[in-house]
Amino acid sequence: MWPFTANRRYRGIPFDPVHVEHTHTDLKVEGEIPSELTGLYLRNGPNPAGPIGWRHHYFSGDGMVHGVKVERGRARWYRNRFVRAGGVPKALGEPDPGGPVSSGLDVSPNTNVIRFGDRMFASNEGGPSLVELGPHLETISRSTLDGVVPDGFTGHHKVDPDDGDIHGVVYSGALGTNALYLRMTEDGRMLNRVKVPLAGNTQIHDMSISRRYAVIYDLNVEFRMWMLPLTTLPIRWSPRRPSRLGILPKGGDASDVRWFEVEPCYVYHPMNAFETDDDKLVLDVSRYAQAAKKDLYGPLGDTTPTIHRWTLDLASGGSAVATEEVLFNLALDFPKVSPRFEGRNYRFGYGVEASLRPSFDAAIKMDLETRTTQRQAFDGGMASELTFIPRSESGTEDDGWLMGFVFQPERQRSRLVILDAQRFTDPPVASIWIPEQYVPIGTHGGWFPDPGSA
């Protein structure tokens, strides 16, 4: 069997892209949207504007942002818009929006959405420019935040709940075998920028923070440009190179990085990290024992990810090797926690089942204190990443809502669901149905409350 037949895993509804941009203001709502919620739910994802060939990788393709505006218990609108950069303007027959091109790489960011101050941006790993979006998801221009991030940004950032600082790890072809750790203020001013040597041309999809540290995942998937004739994302499993975790004090420099060895593996998405009273750093991650070896077109054809815990003894003067245990032996990815507990000791995590079918056929609530789980199957739907929205700043850890898109095969449509996190297995408190087309299974986004709203 030719290797490229594996990309069939990621073809067909709801993985195939949609090509029509919609604006809907008359949305069907089942249940009641909590009146406390006022803001914008956004989800980015790869959505090629042109044809898909046999080399297409699930992570490739132009960005499309889907958004639902919620205001005091009402669903005001749904919009989906291509991110106008890379080849999208030409494909749509539109003028280029302009703005600087970072790292010589002009692509349409397809991974996440981030807010600096009152400005919204589509983001991507690998060094391309951010793309600023307007309040109705229209593209404004490419951006380097007025030169603050000339090397691009990342598709995964972390926000410290104490000071609001934004942390990220950037890699790109222009940086070679180095990564950049960035610490920035909420409004986009640079606080710390550190170039960190890596063990190779590592793909660094995500990072972690704790109260004092940033974590760099220098693991076993690397870029191999000779693979471009086979796949649009030329990454490859590299088991013979070091597999390690870089621990960097948030205010430190490259000389302060301490490396801890782990068994060969790959992590797309950590769940959380925290420090203990006896000077240990705990990292909970969705761990793939192997990735990008058999499956050249997505993340799910090699091994199923399970939730693992690495414990790093920061006080140890001996060999810097992490200890490892399995927390939940379930196929889970897209792990999330309450943003109030990012980088802090916590009890609850939330993930999506990620089997080899692939199916994404349920969401899971994990209780790390009791090591038990709860399952939400969405009436046979296919779940995307869920975002946790705290009900208040003083409530218990799981006092809040979970929000995300779910595809319902029987209707060939998607809905934005809102779950009560404390009643996880109950039907959603509200479902906002998307008219006319589904929302493809995509990558990341989040909830952006209106300024001044609860």
Side-chain angles (χ1 to χ4, degrees):
M1 179 184 294
W2 287 98
F4 57 76
T5 59
N7 73 356
R8 293 175 184 170
R9 301 180 201 275
Y10 313 100
R11 301 297 299 273
I13 297 173
F15 293 93
D16 278 350
V18 297
H19 296 290
V20 179
E21 296 179 323
H22 288 284
T23 298
H24 293 292
T25 56
D26 185 17
L27 300 176
K28 178 183 177 182
V29 177
E30 295 175 351
E32 292 188 10
I33 300 170
S35 60
E36 302 98 316
L37 294 178
T38 293
L40 187 59
Y41 179 80
L42 299 178
R43 213 291 317 281
N44 202 349
N47 194 101
I52 297 176
W54 63 263
R55 297 187 307 118
H56 177 67
H57 193 284
Y58 172 56
F59 294 161
S60 301
D62 309 299
M64 176 176 277
V65 178
H66 299 258
V68 175
K69 175 71 172 181
V70 172
E71 185 177 26
R72 293 189 292 275
R74 298 186 62 186
R76 292 295 187 182
W77 52 255
Y78 161 80
R79 285 178 166 85
N80 65 304
R81 297 291 185 269
F82 280 106
V83 182
R84 267 78 168 167
V88 173
K90 182 178 179 180
L92 300 181
E94 297 179 359
D96 190 273
V101 174
S102 297
S103 307
L105 188 62
D106 183 17
V107 303
S108 171
N110 69 12
T111 311
N112 213 333
V113 183
I114 182 171
R115 183 160 67 187
F116 287 105
D118 60 357
R119 301 167 69 189
M120 198 80 66
F121 302 86
S123 67
N124 203 95
E125 67 182 81
S129 305
L130 296 164
V131 172
E132 186 170 1
L133 305 175
H136 297 109
L137 311 188
E138 70 276 17
T139 294
I140 296 174
S141 72
R142 300 175 190 82
S143 175
T144 59
L145 295 179
D146 300 319
V148 174
V149 287
D151 302 289
F153 197 60
T154 173
H156 276 285
H157 59 278
K158 295 291 187 289
V159 181
D160 190 292
D162 288 344
D163 53 27
D165 287 350
I166 295 169
H167 302 257
V169 174
V170 178
Y171 72 89
S172 71
L175 291 168
T177 57
N178 298 285
L180 288 179
Y181 161 66
L182 306 179
R183 181 183 183 183
M184 306 170 68
T185 62
E186 294 175 280
D187 58 0
R189 292 178 291 110
M190 188 66 68
L191 296 174
N192 198 14
R193 182 181 187 273
V194 181
K195 181 180 285 189
V196 179
L198 303 173
N201 292 301
T202 312
Q203 184 193 25
I204 303 177
H205 188 70
D206 204 343
M207 58 92 66
S208 294
I209 60 169
S210 66
R211 191 178 299 276
R212 294 181 294 165
Y213 298 101
V215 182
I216 300 171
Y217 291 89
D218 191 13
L219 303 175
N220 296 88
V221 173
E222 293 186 318
F223 279 85
R224 301 285 182 84
M225 300 312 292
W226 60 265
M227 292 184 59
L228 273 174
L230 294 176
T231 174
T232 54
L233 184 63
I235 55 174
R236 188 67 169 164
W237 175 247
S238 301
R240 294 182 178 86
R241 52 153 287 168
S243 186
R244 58 187 193 161
L245 311 168
I247 312 305
L248 171 64
K250 289 178 177 178
D253 58 31
S255 65
D256 297 315
V257 177
R258 185 176 180 190
W259 294 101
F260 286 78
E261 297 177 10
V262 294
E263 290 296 315
C265 66
Y266 192 69
V267 170
Y268 285 105
H269 304 118
M271 183 157 67
N272 204 7
F274 61 92
E275 300 159 38
T276 65
D277 292 337
D278 56 349
D279 207 18
K280 291 183 173 63
L281 180 62
V282 177
L283 307 176
D284 296 339
V285 302
S286 174
R287 178 190 183 274
Y288 289 76
Q290 175 182 291
K293 181 179 180 181
K294 294 183 296 183
D295 191 346
L296 306 184
Y297 303 99
L300 297 173
D302 282 89
T303 57
T304 55
T306 49
I307 303 298
H308 282 230
R309 169 167 287 182
W310 285 314
T311 302
L312 286 56
D313 188 351
L314 301 178
S316 172
S319 176
V321 177
T323 61
E324 183 172 345
E325 63 176 310
V326 179
L327 289 181
F328 297 96
N329 195 23
L330 299 171
L332 292 175
D333 206 336
F334 296 106
K336 302 286 279 189
V337 299
S338 167
R340 293 174 51 222
F341 288 82
E342 187 75 64
R344 309 297 185 263
N345 200 346
Y346 71 115
R347 178 176 176 178
F348 297 108
Y350 310 88
V352 175
E353 288 190 352
S355 67
L356 291 176
R357 291 188 290 273
S359 62
F360 301 108
D361 57 357
I364 302 293
K365 178 180 180 179
M366 294 165 273
D367 186 330
L368 281 81
E369 182 177 296
T370 63
R371 299 291 177 95
T372 59
T373 61
Q374 298 178 49
R375 190 173 190 267
Q376 168 62 253
F378 298 112
D379 295 325
M382 296 176 68
S384 294
E385 177 185 74
L386 297 175
T387 294
F388 188 94
I389 307 166
R391 196 182 306 265
S392 70
E393 291 300 314
S394 59
T396 59
E397 182 180 339
D398 65 342
D399 183 20
W401 301 278
L402 292 157
M403 188 179 292
F405 286 114
V406 173
F407 172 70
Q408 298 295 155
E410 76 283 0
R411 298 199 194 186
Q412 296 289 283
R413 290 289 180 272
S414 298
R415 54 179 171 146
L416 179 64
V417 301
I418 304 173
L419 295 175
D420 184 330
Q422 293 183 325
R423 303 175 64 86
F424 187 78
T425 59
D426 286 0
V429 298
S431 293
I432 305 169
W433 286 92
I434 309 304
E436 297 193 34
Q437 66 186 17
Y438 59 89
V439 176
I441 299 296
T443 47
H444 308 286
W447 170 253
F448 300 90
D450 281 358
S453 68

